[in-house]
Amino acid sequence: MHSSTKTEYVVNVRITHKTARVPLMEAVVFKDKEQALAELHTMENVTECLILQTCNRIELYIVSEEGEKTSKIIKQYLASRASLHYEEVFEAIEIALNHDAYRHLLKITAGLESMIIGEEQILNQVWDAYLEAEKAKCTGSILKHLFNRAMTVGHRIRDVTGINKGAVSVGSAAVALAANLLNNLDDKKILVMGAGEIGTLVAKALARRCLSPIFIANRTYARAVTLAEDLSGRAVNFDKFPEILVDADVVICATSAPHILLSKDIVSCSMRQRVNRAGLIIIDLSNPRNVEKAVEAVLGVRLYSIDDLQLIAEKNLAERQKCVDIACRMIDDELVILDDDLKKLSVRLIISSLLSNAEQIRQVELAKAIDMLGEDVDDRKRKVIDDLTSVLLKQTFLPVIENLRVAASNDDRELIGIAIKLFDKLGKTGADVKNV
């Protein structure tokens, strides 16, 4: 019999674009999420864990029987990765438990927590995070239910509100920034570094606003070729991108490389080779950064990062406020259901154990009864007796199971504890019967 009456908490520990700028975010970024998941899963009291990491958020979701204690440990764990930035990161980290954690996740999948309200790619990022944790065997019934429900709600909010209609992504916000800085992009030479999810969004947004072909560089050249062909652009071998820098107007960097790709030396060399005196705009969307910060000191270069997209994000929010209000009301309604579902999950093992023990007793007694009846019991009679005892068991325990679920919904740990003590005797009785 499952003997624990402790509450299982969902803990969310996070650092996002709302509380931290790029240098702090990259100070704690996980370069090996599989290893990080293994570390988290072996921590004391951690039964499930998941890491959600994007260009502007690093979030840990933990299931534990020690909510407050575990949240402090995980916050310390995340902040300790920042080394010299420890104090700043510690202050920037936010914590949410249970109801507040559920609300935050639902707002993420609805696109309400994104820098660009209503963005689409966050749904894929959330689901990929869940699948990674599941593959690493770090998830259980609680995170499975929570993240499946969050995905459903995210899609439904988009369908009902249209919050994603015409919504810009981080990639297209970067393009809008470049267009604002240069007035227009029609005759500009633009290089996109990276053909992954964000790089693809950037390239597609550029294709809608540029008359000139877009240059696309990616470490996997074939991927750059495929994207370039789709957008009538030009693929560039990754080791040849410095040649494009010599007369480029804009470079948007959106790779997943864990190191610097555009150093001060590379950019300085390209700028010295310029025939014209036009400046160069570099927008770095990577986390960790792929453009060395010292590049901003190079004459003629203007360097921007995700932090500089805030004005565009604020304009987007103002335009979508009505959709946001509707989405928040839908989330409030969903939270009532989700809270109840997750509370009922807390007694799932108790119910499973109870029914399993009762079924063992039924099978033992059924076998004894049929044996006593001897040869008079044919297959039809055997089935009638089997069905009868099965129905009796189910009907007997149905109100017990429902009362346990109600107790879980009402946080009545005392009643659940009493049930465990009472039905623990059932397990012992079953063992005794089997030994007769």
Side-chain angles (χ1 to χ4, degrees), residues 230-248:
D230 288 344
L231 303 175
S232 299
R234 297 179 187 176
V236 179
N237 280 306
F238 206 77
D239 57 353
K240 300 292 185 182
F241 77 78
E243 297 176 10
I244 306 298
L245 289 181
V246 173
D247 56 354

Side-chain angles (χ1 to χ4, degrees), residues 383-407:
K383 185 176 185 308
V384 170
I385 297 170
D386 185 41
D387 289 346
L388 173 63
T389 56
S390 180
V391 169
L392 284 173
L393 185 147
K394 290 177 182 178
Q395 291 298 323
T396 300
F397 283 102
L398 188 63
V400 176
I401 292 168
E402 185 56 34
N403 284 333
L404 277 172
R405 287 174 176 157
V406 171

Side-chain angles (χ1 to χ4, degrees), residues 296-310:
E296 63 188 4
V298 177
L299 187 64
V301 175
R302 286 183 283 175
L303 175 61
Y304 299 89
S305 70
I306 292 175
D307 293 333
D308 298 300
L309 304 181
Q310 196 58 46

Side-chain angles (χ1 to χ4, degrees), residues 151-334:
M151 290 296 295
T152 299
V153 173
H155 284 294
R156 184 155 56 84
I157 284 176
R158 284 167 170 77
D159 290 342
V160 171
T161 68
I163 197 170
N164 57 323
K165 302 303 180 185
V168 291
S169 63
V170 169
S172 56
V175 173
L177 174 62
N180 290 341
L181 293 170
L182 296 175
N183 294 322
N184 70 77
L185 303 176
D186 290 344
D187 58 345
K188 308 302 180 185
K189 184 172 183 177
I190 301 175
L191 170 65
V192 176
M193 296 178 64
E197 185 175 9
I198 301 298
T200 298
L201 290 170
V202 170
K204 288 182 176 179
L206 284 168
R208 291 192 293 266
R209 303 183 67 153
C210 299
L211 298 178
S212 304
I214 305 156
F215 292 83
I216 301 170
N218 193 64
R219 285 200 176 279
T220 304
Y221 181 65
R223 193 165 183 172
V225 170
T226 299
L227 183 56
E229 288 177 348
D230 288 344
L231 303 175
S232 299
R234 297 179 187 176
V236 179
N237 280 306
F238 206 77
D239 57 353
K240 300 292 185 182
F241 77 78
E243 297 176 10
I244 306 298
L245 289 181
V246 173
D247 56 354
D249 297 290
V250 179
V251 175
I252 301 179
C253 193
T255 85
S256 57
H259 53 268
I260 296 297
L261 298 176
L262 280 180
S263 65
K264 182 181 179 181
D265 289 343
I266 290 175
V267 175
S268 295
C269 181
S270 297
M271 295 301 288
R272 286 196 297 270
Q273 297 178 56
R274 290 196 167 220
V275 175
N276 59 51
R277 293 298 172 189
L280 173 62
I281 292 172
I282 301 177
I283 303 175
D284 188 3
L285 302 180
S286 309
N287 184 21
R289 284 178 292 189
N290 290 163
V291 183
E292 188 178 10
K293 194 173 189 314
V295 163
E296 63 188 4
V298 177
L299 187 64
V301 175
R302 286 183 283 175
L303 175 61
Y304 299 89
S305 70
I306 292 175
D307 293 333
D308 298 300
L309 304 181
Q310 196 58 46
L311 287 176
I312 294 172
E314 290 172 0
K315 180 181 178 183
N316 182 328
L317 174 57
E319 292 172 349
R320 299 176 188 281
Q321 193 57 57
K322 185 176 180 180
C323 294
V324 170
D325 293 341
I326 297 172
C328 286
R329 288 196 292 272
M330 292 177 67
I331 287 172
D332 287 340
D333 292 340
E334 181 62 33

